[in-house]
Amino acid sequence: MDMANDTTPDGFILLGFSDNPRLEIILFVVVSIFYMVTLVGNITIIVLSHLDSHLHTPMYFLLTQLSFLDLCFTTSCIPQMLVNLWGPDKTISYLGCAAQLYIFLGLGTAECVLLLVMAFDRYIAVCRPLHYVVIMHPKLCQKLALLVWTSGIFGSLVHSPTTMKLPFCHHHQVDDFVCEVPALIRLACGDTRINELQTSVIGAIFLMVPLLLILVSYSHIAWAVLAIQSQEGRSKAFRTCSSHLVVVFLFYCSVTAAYIQPRSHFSQKRGKFLSLFYTVVTPTLNPLIYTLRNRDVKGALKRLFGKNKMARED
C-alpha cells in the first residue's frame, strides 16, 4: 500500500495514456486539430459579435462570454496536455498543477452558471417577448456576467485549496491528462471523505441546481413554443433554443458523470475519456453548434466577407 507524503510534493506525473504510445500519437493529432478549431471558432464569434451591429444583443453578449470562457478553459489545459502526449516527459510542477486546478475549476464553475444565465435569457425572449428589451437591458447583462465570473472565482477558492492539501501518495502519479479534482482525490492515500463530501456539495450547488433551473425554464419555453400559432414563429423559437440545449446536454452530462462520484469505479476507468470530452470536444462543438444553426451569425459572416470583398475591389 502506498504511503501518504506529508510534505508538499515538488510535482506530479500526469499519466494520461502513457501505457499506450500509439494512442498518444493519435490523440496528439486529434487534440491539436480540435484546439485549432476551438481557437478559430470562438475568436470568430467574439470578433463578429463586436464588429456587427446586428449582433449587439443580450444573447450574443452572453455567447461572447461563453466563447471567451471556452478559450480560457481550453488554453489552461490543452497546451500542457499536448506536451504530455508528444514526449516522454509527463511531469508538471506542484505550482503548475495548483494553478491549472484553480483556473480549471473556476472556469468550469463559471460555465455552469453562464449556461443558466443563457437559459434565463432564452426564457425571457420566448415567454416574455414584449418585455425582453426592458428586462435584458445592458446593465443587467453586465451584472449577470459579473455574477458568472464571481461564481467561478468563489467555487475555485472554496474547492482548490482543500484538494491541494490532500495527503498524496509518494508516487505522485495522477491518472489523468490534467490536474483536476477527481484525479487528485484518487491520488490521495489518506481519508478523503471530507473532500468527496465537499465535491458532492459543490457539485450539487453549481451543477445540479443550475441544471434543474435550466430544465424548469425550458419546460416553460416548450409550453410557450407550442402555444405559438404560426409555423414560422414556432420554428424560429425552436432554432433559437435548440443550440443552447445541445450545448447544455453535452457539457452537463460529461461533467456530472466525472464529478458527482469522483472516486467511483466508473470515474476511475472512464474519467480520462470524460476529461478529453469536456476539455477538448465540447469547447470545439460550441461555436460550431451556434454558427451552423444560426442565421444571424451566418448573415454576419456574409456581411463581413462582403465588406472585405468590396474593399479589395475599390
Side-chain angles (χ1 to χ4, degrees):
M1 182 177 178
D2 288 314
M3 299 299 293
N5 191 346
D6 294 331
T7 60
T8 301
D10 293 328
F12 299 94
I13 301 171
L14 298 172
L15 294 178
F17 288 106
S18 54
D19 58 337
N20 193 335
R22 288 186 178 180
L23 180 59
E24 284 194 319
I25 295 173
I26 295 171
L27 285 175
F28 177 84
V29 175
V30 172
V31 172
S32 298
I33 294 171
F34 270 75
Y35 186 45
M36 289 298 105
V37 175
T38 300
L39 293 178
V40 172
N42 286 295
I43 289 173
T44 299
I45 288 178
I46 293 172
V47 172
L48 282 177
S49 299
H50 178 72
L51 294 179
D52 196 298
S53 60
H54 294 83
L55 302 184
H56 293 173
T57 63
M59 175 181 170
Y60 291 101
F61 171 78
L62 296 174
L63 182 56
T64 301
Q65 297 292 316
L66 179 64
S67 293
F68 180 68
L69 197 153
D70 280 341
L71 283 175
C72 296
F73 188 70
T74 52
T75 304
S76 71
C77 56
I78 289 184
Q80 173 71 39
M81 187 187 299
L82 290 173
V83 170
N84 288 356
L85 289 171
W86 179 252
D89 185 14
K90 313 293 183 183
T91 59
I92 183 172
S93 68
Y94 178 84
L95 289 178
C97 184
Q100 188 177 78
L101 180 66
Y102 272 84
I103 296 169
F104 197 82
L105 269 179
L107 295 174
T109 303
E111 183 152 351
C112 291
V113 179
L114 179 57
L115 291 175
L116 172 59
V117 171
M118 293 175 77
F120 171 73
D121 172 72
R122 292 300 84 208
Y123 167 78
I124 299 297
V126 176
C127 300
R128 300 287 187 273
L130 299 178
H131 302 94
Y132 181 73
V133 177
V134 177
I135 296 174
M136 297 300 295
H137 54 81
K139 286 187 178 181
L140 178 62
C141 292
Q142 292 168 6
K143 289 178 181 178
L144 290 173
L146 180 62
L147 173 66
V148 167
W149 293 100
T150 303
S151 299
I153 294 171
F154 174 78
S156 182
L157 290 178
V158 168
H159 209 177
S160 299
T162 54
T163 303
M164 293 308 297
K165 290 178 181 177
L166 281 168
F168 297 116
C169 299
H170 72 275
H171 59 75
H172 299 154
Q173 294 180 347
V174 180
D175 193 18
D176 209 329
F177 294 98
V178 292
C179 290
E180 58 174 334
V181 174
L184 291 172
I185 287 179
R186 290 197 299 270
L187 178 61
C189 284
D191 186 3
T192 61
R193 284 178 296 179
I194 293 177
N195 296 83
E196 292 184 57
L197 177 62
Q198 184 185 54
T199 301
S200 298
V201 171
I202 292 178
I205 295 172
F206 290 109
L207 275 173
M208 304 313 296
V209 171
L211 179 58
L212 178 63
L213 293 174
I214 289 171
L215 293 177
V216 170
S217 68
Y218 269 96
S219 66
H220 287 284
I221 289 171
W223 282 111
V225 170
L226 291 175
I228 297 174
Q229 298 297 322
S230 69
Q231 182 64 35
E232 183 181 350
R234 194 179 301 173
S235 299
K236 183 179 179 181
F238 177 77
R239 285 196 306 270
T240 304
C241 299
S242 59
S243 298
H244 182 250
L245 265 180
V246 172
V247 170
V248 167
F249 176 79
L250 292 174
F251 179 78
Y252 274 98
C253 285
S254 56
V255 175
T256 301
Y259 275 81
I260 292 303
Q261 292 183 326
R263 206 164 189 170
S264 68
H265 177 76
F266 171 80
S267 190
Q268 187 170 359
K269 294 295 183 182
R270 307 293 174 85
K272 286 181 277 191
F273 289 102
L274 288 171
S275 296
L276 278 174
F277 191 83
Y278 60 74
T279 57
V280 178
V281 179
T282 303
T284 304
L285 293 178
N286 285 353
L288 295 178
I289 291 168
Y290 279 108
T291 54
L292 292 178
R293 295 182 59 85
N294 194 304
R295 292 180 180 178
D296 294 336
V297 175
K298 292 178 182 177
L301 281 169
K302 290 178 181 179
R303 287 189 292 272
L304 180 63
F305 287 119
K307 288 180 181 178
N308 291 337
K309 184 178 181 181
M310 290 175 62
R312 284 196 300 268
E313 289 175 354
D314 292 341

